[in-house]
Amino acid sequence: MISIKKITTVAAVAVLSFGLFAQANPKPEPRTPVSKTKESTAGLFSNDVDDFTDVNYWSNVAPKQFFAYFGMGSSKNVGNTYNIGFAKQLKKFYWGTYFSGNFGLNKTTKPTDGDKTTETTLSEFQFNNTYGFGNVGLAFNLYYLDNGSQNTIKHEYIDVALKAGLKEYAIKKTKIIPYAEINFLIGGLKEDVTTGGSTITVDSRDWDLKLAVGADIPYGKVKNVEQTFNVGLEMDLNKPVDSDLKYSNFTITIPLGYKAILKSTNALSFGFSAGLKSDVKFGKSGDASTFGFGLTPSIAAGVTYATKKNIDLNAGVAFDVPSFTYSKNDNESIAEWNGEDAELHFNSGFAIKPTKNICIDCSYEILADLFGNNTTVNFNTNQNFWTTVNQILIHKFGFEVSVKF
């Protein structure tokens, strides 16, 4: 039985944790490596950085000795991240490993006449290992986020994922490229709260168990045109760690997509993609039931052009199509078509290839800035080196370097 004191404390901590969530935006984002080329072309064109930890496309990398890359990325939680990757073909066995993150600050204070205290700022990292042999790819991913913990407050997320895929599989005359994934996440706020002279631990964490399957389906044999359909099915169960908190959510998601790449000439290629994600959510809060349904469409286009100077120019545009949501509980139902979601995202960049073994892949957001972003520059502020360089160039600039021998 839950005491009045615990109910009051849980309610207070729930309000506090909601405020922390809203301000710090702490939801974890485990990521796979994404190249600047893929970012610049709205996800339509890729390179070895995108493939070397992919359970379906790892064999595209095929290094004779090794593949390695270094880049700077960003996260909504910790800002700048360091991205490092390495892959090697060991006879018939492939191994790729990837690290991304920022460790933040971990501080311990130990006064001479008191108890020591610990405090951490935002820190986030993930570590991935991918193994390939024959037609099979396997990957293990560990993700960790500390969203600012103190002595009596833990605000952490841990995510563990296992994924498997095949390079190809034939169903009669149809070729598919399937994958399956299991993902377990636990995290949130756990705090020791003192009320009325006694201390209790309030656990507001929850956990998610997700199962996902899907496949890419190459289609057609039209000259100079590559077409791919993709389909998936995801099931996600969310429940509180504290069994006294009576709520749960079960979500079924079906993502569908289509992508076409047209190789117009040896140097010029165009791409187009369209997607539709639908999800159905069944929830329970105490004795009350909830239901939700959503449709999220997307459209993107991209282009890449290889110059004679070993420089590839890239550009892309993604369109957030207005989404539809419907939710219902015991008291009301709400249907919403969100026209505010309609937004264009312009992307641009270039890749320099001084030799066949080295690629300097860059994003240069000139198109995003030319079509509406604020390009005001103030050189009188004291900022770090890369911020100053970005201001001199006017437009945000990012890069990564990869080598393959």
Side-chain angles (χ1 to χ4, degrees):
M1 178 177 289
I2 307 175
S3 66
I4 298 297
K5 181 188 295 183
K6 186 168 184 180
I7 293 174
T8 305
T9 307
V10 168
V13 172
V15 173
L16 172 63
S17 89
F18 178 81
L20 286 171
F21 291 168
Q23 294 173 27
N25 208 5
K27 271 299 183 181
E29 286 188 327
R31 299 171 300 278
T32 55
V34 178
S35 67
K36 298 301 181 185
T37 291
K38 193 165 186 175
E39 291 178 359
S40 299
T41 59
L44 284 155
F45 295 90
S46 60
N47 59 29
D48 288 340
V49 172
D50 304 290
D51 293 340
F52 84 100
T53 60
D54 192 296
V55 294
N56 297 113
Y57 299 102
W58 55 270
S59 62
N60 291 348
V61 183
K64 293 182 179 179
Q65 296 183 35
F66 69 89
F67 165 82
Y69 98 102
F70 170 80
M72 297 290 291
S74 63
S75 161
K76 71 177 183 181
N77 295 305
V78 300
N80 290 337
T81 61
Y82 305 97
N83 305 324
I84 303 170
F86 178 84
K88 187 172 180 62
Q89 187 72 43
L90 304 168
K91 294 184 179 179
K92 296 183 179 181
F93 183 78
Y94 172 90
W95 172 55
T97 186
Y98 167 69
F99 171 85
S100 174
N102 186 328
F103 288 111
L105 173 68
N106 190 310
K107 179 181 178 181
T108 301
T109 302
K110 188 175 183 179
T112 55
D113 56 351
D115 296 331
K116 72 176 182 178
T117 60
T118 61
E119 180 179 359
T120 62
T121 60
L122 296 177
S123 60
E124 180 184 35
F125 67 87
Q126 73 179 72
F127 182 62
N128 172 282
N129 275 291
T130 300
Y131 308 97
F133 47 92
N135 194 38
V136 179
L138 300 173
F140 170 78
N141 191 75
L142 172 66
Y143 171 91
Y144 174 79
L145 168 65
D146 188 325
N147 205 56
S149 297
Q150 298 177 6
N151 234 27
T152 60
I153 299 175
K154 295 295 183 183
H155 202 182
E156 301 172 313
Y157 291 88
I158 299 175
D159 183 286
V160 177
L162 294 172
K163 190 172 183 179
L166 301 178
K167 290 191 292 184
E168 64 178 27
Y169 183 78
I171 300 178
K172 294 184 178 180
K173 294 183 178 181
T174 302
K175 174 185 173 182
I176 67 171
I177 305 172
Y179 69 85
E181 181 178 8
I182 182 170
N183 183 279
F184 180 76
L185 164 71
I186 183 171
L189 187 66
K190 185 178 182 182
E191 181 178 10
D192 293 334
V193 179
T194 301
T195 58
S198 62
T199 300
I200 62 172
T201 299
V202 179
D203 195 342
S204 301
R205 297 175 301 164
D206 58 11
W207 57 262
D208 287 273
L209 177 64
K210 183 174 77 172
L211 302 175
V213 294
D216 289 345
I217 306 172
Y219 174 78
K221 298 181 180 179
V222 181
K223 184 178 180 181
N224 297 331
V225 178
E226 297 178 6
Q227 299 181 82
T228 305
F229 292 94
N230 55 74
V231 60
L233 173 64
E234 300 174 5
M235 294 178 288
D236 185 284
L237 177 63
N238 171 259
K239 298 193 73 172
V241 172
D242 188 342
S243 60
D244 290 334
L245 302 176
K246 303 296 184 182
Y247 69 85
S248 63
N249 288 294
F250 180 69
T251 306
I252 300 174
T253 304
I254 300 177
L256 301 173
Y258 168 78
K259 181 174 75 171
I261 302 295
L262 168 64
K263 192 172 183 180
S264 181
T265 68
N266 289 333
L268 181 64
S269 295
F270 297 94
F272 169 81
S273 68
L276 177 64
K277 183 176 73 173
S278 58
D279 58 81
V280 181
K281 179 180 290 187
F282 304 91
K284 198 81 173 174
S285 180
D287 294 327
S289 298
T290 61
F291 173 79
F293 173 74
L295 288 173
T296 307
S298 61
I299 297 173
V303 60
T304 182
Y305 178 72
T307 72
K308 295 181 180 180
K309 302 295 183 180
N310 293 328
I311 299 176
D312 294 347
L313 304 178
N314 305 313
V317 58
F319 179 44
D320 291 339
V321 184
S323 61
F324 172 81
T325 58
Y326 172 81
S327 60
K328 182 180 183 301
N329 56 37
D330 290 348
N331 299 316
E332 63 179 357
S333 61
I334 301 173
E336 182 177 78
W337 183 80
N338 193 352
E340 294 179 352
D341 283 351
E343 185 176 354
L344 287 171
H345 302 276
F346 294 93
N347 309 276
S348 53
F350 56 93
I352 305 172
K353 301 174 182 177
T355 73
K356 67 177 183 178
N357 303 110
I358 299 174
C359 178
I360 305 170
D361 202 2
C362 305
S363 59
Y364 183 46
E365 297 186 6
I366 184 171
L367 289 184
D369 290 341
L370 288 177
F371 287 96
N373 287 354
N374 185 3
T375 57
T376 301
V377 178
N378 181 359
F379 295 106
N380 296 321
T381 57
N382 183 18
Q383 302 182 60
N384 67 48
F385 173 76
W386 284 112
T387 301
T388 304
V389 168
N390 282 337
Q391 286 187 322
I392 292 173
L393 294 172
I394 305 298
H395 312 289
K396 187 177 179 181
F397 179 83
F399 75 96
E400 62 191 18
V401 179
S402 62
V403 297
K404 182 168 70 173
F405 291 93

Coordinates of all heavy atoms in Angstrom, one line a residue, residues 33 35 46-54 57-63 67 69 87 94 356 359 361 400 402-404:
P33 N 26.6 6.1 -37.1 CA 27.4 7.1 -37.8 C 26.7 7.6 -39.1 O 26.1 6.8 -39.8 CB 28.7 6.3 -38.2 CG 28.8 5.2 -37.3 CD 27.3 4.8 -37.0
S35 N 27.4 10.2 -42.3 CA 28.4 11.0 -43.0 C 27.9 12.4 -43.3 O 26.6 12.7 -43.4 CB 28.8 10.4 -44.4 OG 27.7 10.4 -45.3
S46 N 25.2 8.2 -49.7 CA 26.0 7.8 -48.5 C 27.4 7.4 -48.9 O 27.7 7.3 -50.1 CB 25.3 6.6 -47.8 OG 25.1 5.5 -48.7
N47 N 28.2 7.1 -47.9 CA 29.6 6.6 -48.2 C 30.0 5.6 -47.1 O 29.1 5.1 -46.4 CB 30.6 7.8 -48.3 CG 30.6 8.7 -47.1 OD1 30.4 8.2 -46.0 ND2 30.9 9.9 -47.3
D48 N 31.3 5.3 -47.0 CA 31.8 4.3 -46.1 C 31.4 4.6 -44.7 O 31.2 3.7 -43.9 CB 33.3 4.1 -46.3 CG 33.7 3.4 -47.5 OD1 32.8 2.8 -48.1 OD2 34.8 3.6 -48.0
V49 N 31.4 5.9 -44.3 CA 31.0 6.2 -42.9 C 29.7 5.7 -42.5 O 29.4 5.3 -41.4 CB 31.2 7.8 -42.7 CG1 30.6 8.2 -41.3 CG2 32.6 8.2 -42.8
D50 N 28.7 5.8 -43.4 CA 27.4 5.3 -43.2 C 27.3 3.8 -43.2 O 26.4 3.2 -42.5 CB 26.4 5.8 -44.3 CG 26.4 7.3 -44.4 OD1 26.0 8.0 -43.4 OD2 26.9 7.8 -45.4
D51 N 28.2 3.1 -43.8 CA 28.1 1.7 -44.0 C 28.9 0.8 -43.1 O 28.6 -0.4 -42.8 CB 28.5 1.3 -45.5 CG 27.5 1.8 -46.5 OD1 26.4 2.1 -46.1 OD2 27.9 1.9 -47.7
F52 N 30.0 1.4 -42.5 CA 30.9 0.5 -41.8 C 30.4 -0.1 -40.5 O 31.0 -1.1 -40.0 CB 32.3 1.2 -41.6 CG 32.3 2.0 -40.3 CD1 33.0 1.6 -39.2 CD2 31.8 3.3 -40.3 CE1 33.0 2.3 -38.0 CE2 31.9 4.1 -39.2 CZ 32.5 3.6 -38.0
T53 N 29.3 0.4 -39.9 CA 28.7 -0.3 -38.8 C 27.3 -0.8 -39.1 O 26.5 -1.1 -38.2 CB 28.6 0.6 -37.5 OG1 27.9 1.8 -37.9 CG2 30.0 1.0 -37.1
D54 N 26.9 -0.8 -40.4 CA 25.6 -1.2 -40.8 C 25.5 -2.7 -41.0 O 26.4 -3.3 -41.7 CB 25.2 -0.5 -42.1 CG 23.7 -0.7 -42.4 OD1 23.3 -1.8 -42.6 OD2 23.0 0.4 -42.4
Y57 N 25.0 -3.4 -44.8 CA 25.8 -2.9 -45.9 C 27.3 -2.8 -45.5 O 28.1 -2.1 -46.1 CB 25.3 -1.5 -46.3 CG 23.9 -1.5 -46.8 CD1 22.8 -1.2 -46.0 CD2 23.6 -2.0 -48.1 CE1 21.5 -1.2 -46.5 CE2 22.3 -2.1 -48.6 CZ 21.3 -1.7 -47.8 OH 20.0 -1.7 -48.3
W58 N 27.7 -3.5 -44.4 CA 29.1 -3.4 -44.0 C 30.1 -3.9 -45.0 O 31.2 -3.4 -45.1 CB 29.3 -4.3 -42.7 CG 28.8 -5.7 -42.9 CD1 27.6 -6.2 -42.7 CD2 29.6 -6.8 -43.4 NE1 27.5 -7.6 -43.0 CE2 28.8 -8.0 -43.4 CE3 30.9 -7.0 -43.8 CZ2 29.2 -9.2 -43.8 CZ3 31.4 -8.2 -44.2 CH2 30.5 -9.3 -44.2
S59 N 29.7 -4.8 -45.9 CA 30.6 -5.4 -46.9 C 30.9 -4.3 -48.0 O 31.8 -4.5 -48.8 CB 30.0 -6.6 -47.5 OG 28.8 -6.4 -48.2
N60 N 30.1 -3.2 -48.1 CA 30.4 -2.2 -49.1 C 31.8 -1.5 -48.8 O 32.4 -1.0 -49.7 CB 29.3 -1.1 -49.1 CG 28.0 -1.6 -49.7 OD1 28.0 -2.7 -50.2 ND2 27.0 -0.9 -49.5
V61 N 32.2 -1.5 -47.5 CA 33.4 -0.8 -47.1 C 34.7 -1.6 -47.7 O 35.5 -1.0 -48.3 CB 33.5 -0.7 -45.6 CG1 34.8 0.1 -45.2 CG2 32.3 0.0 -45.1
A62 N 34.8 -2.8 -47.4 CA 35.8 -3.7 -48.0 C 37.2 -3.1 -48.0 O 37.8 -3.0 -49.0 CB 35.4 -4.1 -49.4
P63 N 37.7 -2.8 -46.8 CA 39.1 -2.3 -46.7 C 40.1 -3.4 -46.9 O 39.9 -4.5 -46.4 CB 39.2 -1.7 -45.3 CG 38.2 -2.5 -44.5 CD 37.1 -2.8 -45.4
F67 N 40.0 0.7 -42.4 CA 39.3 2.0 -42.6 C 39.2 2.7 -41.3 O 39.0 2.1 -40.2 CB 37.8 1.6 -43.1 CG 36.9 2.8 -43.0 CD1 36.9 3.8 -44.0 CD2 36.0 2.9 -41.9 CE1 36.0 4.8 -43.9 CE2 35.1 4.0 -41.8 CZ 35.1 5.0 -42.8
Y69 N 38.0 6.8 -39.5 CA 37.6 8.2 -39.7 C 37.5 8.9 -38.4 O 37.4 8.3 -37.3 CB 36.2 8.1 -40.4 CG 35.0 8.3 -39.5 CD1 34.3 9.5 -39.4 CD2 34.5 7.2 -38.8 CE1 33.2 9.7 -38.6 CE2 33.4 7.3 -38.0 CZ 32.7 8.6 -37.9 OH 31.6 8.7 -37.1
A87 N 37.6 0.2 -38.9 CA 37.1 -1.1 -39.4 C 38.3 -1.9 -40.1 O 39.2 -1.2 -40.6 CB 36.0 -0.9 -40.4
Y94 N 34.8 -9.6 -40.6 CA 34.9 -8.2 -40.6 C 34.6 -7.6 -39.2 O 33.7 -8.1 -38.5 CB 33.8 -7.7 -41.6 CG 33.6 -6.2 -41.6 CD1 34.4 -5.3 -42.4 CD2 32.7 -5.6 -40.7 CE1 34.2 -3.9 -42.4 CE2 32.5 -4.2 -40.7 CZ 33.3 -3.4 -41.5 OH 33.1 -2.0 -41.5
K356 N 42.8 8.6 -53.7 CA 41.7 7.6 -53.7 C 41.5 7.0 -52.3 O 40.5 6.4 -52.0 CB 42.0 6.5 -54.7 CG 43.2 5.6 -54.3 CD 43.4 4.5 -55.3 CE 44.5 3.6 -55.0 NZ 44.7 2.5 -55.9
C359 N 39.3 10.9 -47.9 CA 38.1 11.7 -48.2 C 37.9 12.7 -47.0 O 37.8 12.3 -45.9 CB 36.9 10.9 -48.3 SG 35.3 11.8 -48.6
D361 N 35.1 15.0 -45.9 CA 33.7 15.2 -46.2 C 33.2 16.4 -45.3 O 33.3 16.4 -44.1 CB 33.0 13.9 -45.8 CG 31.6 13.8 -46.4 OD1 31.3 14.7 -47.2 OD2 30.9 12.8 -46.2
E400 N 34.5 15.9 -41.5 CA 35.1 14.6 -41.0 C 36.1 14.1 -42.1 O 36.0 14.4 -43.3 CB 34.0 13.6 -40.8 CG 33.2 13.2 -42.1 CD 32.0 12.4 -41.8 OE1 31.5 12.4 -40.6 OE2 31.5 11.7 -42.7
S402 N 38.1 10.6 -43.5 CA 38.1 9.2 -43.5 C 39.2 8.7 -44.4 O 39.6 9.3 -45.4 CB 36.8 8.6 -43.9 OG 36.5 9.0 -45.3
V403 N 39.8 7.6 -44.0 CA 40.9 7.0 -44.8 C 40.6 5.5 -45.0 O 40.1 4.9 -44.1 CB 42.3 7.2 -44.2 CG1 42.6 8.7 -44.1 CG2 42.4 6.6 -42.8
K404 N 41.0 5.0 -46.1 CA 40.8 3.5 -46.4 C 42.0 3.0 -47.2 O 42.3 3.5 -48.3 CB 39.5 3.3 -47.1 CG 39.2 1.8 -47.3 CD 37.8 1.5 -47.8 CE 37.5 2.0 -49.1 NZ 36.1 1.6 -49.6

